[in-house]
Amino acid sequence: MKKILFVCHGNICRSPMAEFICKKLVQDAGRNSEFLIESAATSNEEIGNDMHPGAKSELSKNGIPFERRRARRITQDDYSKYDLLIGMDVENLFYMQREWNKDPDDKVKLLLSYAGKDRDIADPWYTGNFIQTYADLVEGISCLLKKI
């Protein structure tokens, strides 16, 4: 079983969107039993909060099922629990590597790197552009799933 943890700053926009998009794509491919897919934050700012309404709206518009959830922060144990630790931007990667002692097993990756792109997925909490975030997430996750 491949265990994936998507990570962003607050775990209310990008990473939970990625979690639910990935779960849907895996389900559509008939590969549910092959994956554990979850998400977390690098900060404590939104701990316990549900997804941002804009994230929920964009997922709904695109037919992606989701459930109420509570944001959580990454932990030391996450490093050994997951095979892939996928950040949305370089700031996420910095805090992830700091938490996990510089990533000795090379598990920490930038999501869009799977699509051959060396750029961040912009945080829609700041930009308000959930449409672009959704498109970037689908592109990155689709490419990731082709490689694993």
Side-chain angles (χ1 to χ4, degrees):
M1 175 176 285
K2 197 65 138 175
K3 298 174 186 172
I4 304 170
L5 183 68
F6 291 104
V7 180
C8 69
H9 181 77
N11 193 217
I12 62 167
C13 296
R14 294 171 293 174
S15 61
M17 288 176 75
E19 174 185 345
F20 292 117
I21 291 166
C22 192
K23 285 178 176 177
K24 173 75 164 120
L25 292 175
V26 164
Q27 178 183 8
D28 289 352
R31 299 177 67 191
N32 279 349
S33 64
E34 298 176 37
F35 293 93
L36 171 68
I37 303 161
E38 297 180 340
S39 63
T42 59
S43 78
N44 292 321
E45 294 172 26
E46 299 287 347
I47 301 306
N49 291 335
D50 194 10
M51 260 194 304
H52 187 286
K56 290 179 182 181
S57 175
E58 194 60 31
L59 291 175
S60 292
K61 283 193 291 187
N62 287 282
I64 306 294
F66 60 89
E67 56 196 35
R68 183 165 171 73
R69 52 178 309 285
R70 296 170 56 90
R72 75 165 184 91
R73 190 182 180 287
I74 57 174
T75 66
Q76 277 288 317
D77 292 339
D78 288 335
Y79 195 82
S80 60
K81 178 179 179 179
Y82 295 95
D83 303 306
L84 292 172
L85 302 153
I86 310 294
M88 302 296 135
D89 61 40
V90 293
E91 183 177 297
N92 301 149
L93 297 184
F94 171 81
Y95 288 108
M96 292 162 73
Q97 290 173 342
R98 189 170 84 173
E99 179 76 26
W100 297 315
N101 195 26
K102 305 233 185 277
D103 186 26
D105 298 329
D106 195 33
K107 296 180 178 188
V108 175
K109 306 291 181 194
L110 188 66
L111 180 57
L112 283 178
S113 70
Y114 290 96
K117 296 182 177 179
D118 185 26
R119 71 172 176 85
D120 296 342
I121 294 177
D123 190 340
W125 193 90
Y126 295 105
T127 68
N129 191 346
F130 287 88
I131 295 168
Q132 183 61 53
T133 297
Y134 178 85
D136 285 345
L137 291 170
V138 169
E139 180 180 12
I141 295 164
S142 296
C143 291
L144 165 67
L145 291 175
K146 288 177 186 171
K147 295 179 181 186
I148 56 174

